[in-house]
Amino acid sequence: MMKSMHRPLTGVRVIGLEQYMSAPYCTLLLADAGAEVIKIERPGSGDPRRSIPPYAVDEQGGQVAGSFIGYNRNKKSLALNLREEAGRQIYRDLVRVSDVVVENLRPGATDKLGLGYEDLKAVKPSLIYAAISGFGRLEGYTGPYADRPAFDIVAEAMGGIMNLVGFPDKPPSWTIYGMADVYSGLVTAYGVMLALFMRERTGQGQFVDSAMLDNMLAFNERMVALYSFTGESPERGRLKHLYPRGAFRCNDGYLALNTPDDILWRRICQAIGREDLKEDPRTADGTARAANADFVRPIIEDWLADKTRDEAVLLLGQHGVPSGPVHTAEDVFNDPHVAARGMLAEVDDPIAGPRKYARTPPHLSSAPEIPKEPAPRLGEHTVPIMRDLLGYDKVEMARLRDQGVIEIWEGEMAG
């Protein structure tokens, strides 16, 4: 199959008024899909994630934060002071020649600057404006928490997820760091794509309202359905109606196993040589197995005790039982299937050197591979954006730099 020369969003220009994780991950997805993403950063400091370790340092003493470059490849950096009217005017000029704005500032922050959706819609009616917040901002859907700030763990907690993670005798636990941010970035990118598709049909832009709490609640849909049907609130720890499910010890780590029905359980019994457990009243169905988990787990782990994770996966697979090793980061980096899928994308940063980052899925058969440009230095693209896109000359840019309206990456004004 012949592949296109372009990624799906080639020709779409996105402004990222963004910081930390949720909006940067959204625009990373769009950038990997081919969009031109212009990241707006505060002169002097930039995105706060530029100062969050771990760091890489080169021989000249240059320093870059791994947590920043992982979220900001394939983007351009425009260092712009939006507290100055001249900076706000540059931003409006940029909106006029762009398709999408993605922002995750505190609710009301852009409105106070005169740069909210209603302000910018007057500048460009076809603009798609995506806002990520903790609790939502769309008129008609604002609740009592609308003005609250939020971090990912707050959304996990209020969406019912933390209550389900951990063990009954321990406090609720978070999942992985930033999960609500990353998932919200994904949902927001999906919303942007829907809005772009609608604009192709109507020519109209719109406001895309992405609330972290909404996203976590939708992600936790099983809890919602269970409570709706049974009135039961699921709790962390053991499930009541199915088992075995979880991580089981092998001789070189842990194996992940799930048994959603009795068909899979019978296959497990065959695989481990315990046909008798098919009819044992303690293990005959999911509810019984869940109630007798302390009886079932040792049986499975005794069978696994002399087997590696890979050996167990192979033997279970021969009986049609899905399973998988619980991987560490080192395991992931050494996994031949991960390598074959190209899921560790190597990006050569001028300071950090060649490093691997998680590739954004999915793969598209008719599109080229994702670009792998390193994350920008602060203000690296201020000059080319203002010169080539907005028509500013060197004298105007030097004046704006001296007034603290813009920051220019060293060397960019030469020539």
Side-chain angles (χ1 to χ4, degrees):
M1 180 180 293
M2 182 177 294
K3 291 199 174 189
S4 166
M5 296 295 291
H6 303 294
R7 294 288 293 168
L9 295 184
T10 298
V12 174
R13 182 173 293 125
V14 177
I15 300 172
L17 187 57
E18 56 184 31
Q19 59 185 356
Y20 292 108
M21 295 174 68
S22 59
Y25 188 76
C26 172
T27 59
L28 171 65
L29 290 166
L30 302 176
D32 280 4
E36 177 189 10
V37 175
I38 299 174
K39 183 180 181 74
I40 307 299
E41 300 191 74
R42 181 179 298 176
S45 57
D47 187 327
R49 286 186 72 81
R50 288 187 180 273
S51 60
I52 297 177
Y55 300 110
V57 182
D58 64 13
E59 295 179 355
Q60 290 72 42
Q63 178 174 283
V64 65
S67 58
F68 174 82
I69 59 179
Y71 281 73
N72 291 286
R73 64 174 177 262
N74 299 322
K75 300 181 186 180
K76 299 176 180 179
S77 173
L78 171 59
L80 187 61
N81 184 357
L82 296 179
R83 294 179 179 177
E84 298 289 338
E85 176 54 32
R88 294 193 289 272
Q89 187 55 50
I90 292 169
Y91 185 79
R92 295 185 192 99
D93 292 342
L94 185 59
V95 167
R96 287 190 179 92
V97 294
S98 299
D99 299 285
V100 179
V101 167
V102 178
E103 61 103 332
N104 66 330
L105 304 187
R106 182 166 178 161
T110 55
D111 296 315
K112 291 177 182 177
L113 293 170
L115 300 175
Y117 174 61
E118 294 299 325
D119 303 295
L120 298 183
K121 183 171 69 171
V123 172
K124 183 163 186 175
S126 63
L127 179 70
I128 293 164
Y129 189 107
I132 304 175
S133 62
F135 303 101
R137 293 162 52 177
L138 182 64
E139 186 176 350
Y141 291 89
T142 53
Y145 312 145
D147 294 330
R148 290 186 187 177
F151 275 125
D152 68 299
I153 195 170
V154 174
E156 276 197 27
M158 298 180 69
I161 290 176
M162 281 185 67
N163 189 54
L164 302 177
V165 180
F167 299 94
D169 59 339
K170 299 290 193 302
S173 180
W174 43 277
T175 56
I176 61 171
Y177 185 86
M179 191 269 281
D181 286 314
V182 170
Y183 188 70
S184 291
L186 174 62
V187 170
T188 308
Y190 170 64
V192 168
M193 297 300 297
L194 294 179
L196 284 169
F197 187 73
M198 288 182 68
R199 193 176 71 176
E200 287 295 308
R201 294 176 165 182
T202 67
Q204 297 178 349
Q206 62 180 298
F207 184 76
V208 177
D209 181 27
S210 181
M212 294 171 68
L213 176 57
D214 295 357
N215 298 333
M216 288 297 93
L217 188 57
F219 190 70
N220 198 13
E221 52 79 28
R222 185 179 181 276
M223 177 200 75
V224 175
L226 183 63
Y227 189 81
S228 180
F229 273 75
T230 69
E232 296 180 7
S233 180
E235 300 297 335
R236 60 189 171 279
R238 295 178 178 177
L239 297 171
K240 295 181 179 179
H241 304 295
L242 65 89
Y243 195 80
R245 174 183 169 86
F248 297 84
R249 186 183 292 277
C250 298
N251 71 6
D252 67 341
Y254 287 87
L255 183 81
L257 194 62
N258 181 43
T259 315
D261 55 41
D262 296 335
I263 295 172
L264 263 295
W265 173 243
R266 295 187 186 101
R267 293 178 185 174
I268 291 173
C269 292
Q270 291 175 338
I272 68 175
R274 291 296 305 270
E275 301 272 357
D276 60 298
L277 296 176
K278 293 180 181 178
E279 306 302 330
D280 190 310
R282 294 170 293 183
T283 57
D285 59 38
T287 302
R289 291 190 296 274
N292 293 284
D294 291 340
F295 169 71
V296 177
R297 174 175 282 276
I299 294 174
I300 294 174
E301 291 194 333
D302 285 348
W303 180 77
L304 291 170
D306 63 348
K307 299 173 182 65
T308 67
R309 295 171 296 175
D310 289 343
E311 289 169 345
V313 168
L314 180 62
L315 291 169
L316 289 167
Q318 290 171 353
H319 290 83
V321 177
S323 65
V326 177
H327 275 168
T328 65
E330 182 179 3
D331 292 331
V332 169
F333 270 65
N334 292 327
D335 189 292
H337 187 83
V338 172
R341 293 290 294 170
M343 282 305 299
L344 297 180
E346 185 168 279
V347 178
D348 192 359
D349 184 87
I351 294 178
R355 307 274 179 149
K356 292 182 178 180
Y357 306 90
R359 182 198 189 277
T360 54
H363 292 281
L364 299 176
S365 65
S366 295
E369 182 53 38
I370 65 169
K372 299 180 178 68
E373 294 298 318
R377 308 282 80 79
L378 178 60
E380 181 176 347
H381 302 92
T382 300
V383 169
I385 290 170
M386 294 189 64
R387 179 190 62 215
D388 303 335
L389 197 57
L390 304 182
Y392 285 78
D393 61 30
K394 287 176 62 175
V395 174
E396 291 174 300
M397 286 188 283
R399 176 177 56 80
L400 291 166
R401 176 196 59 196
D402 295 343
Q403 292 174 347
V405 175
I406 63 174
E407 181 174 340
I408 295 172
W409 189 49
E410 59 182 270
E412 278 297 326
M413 289 290 281

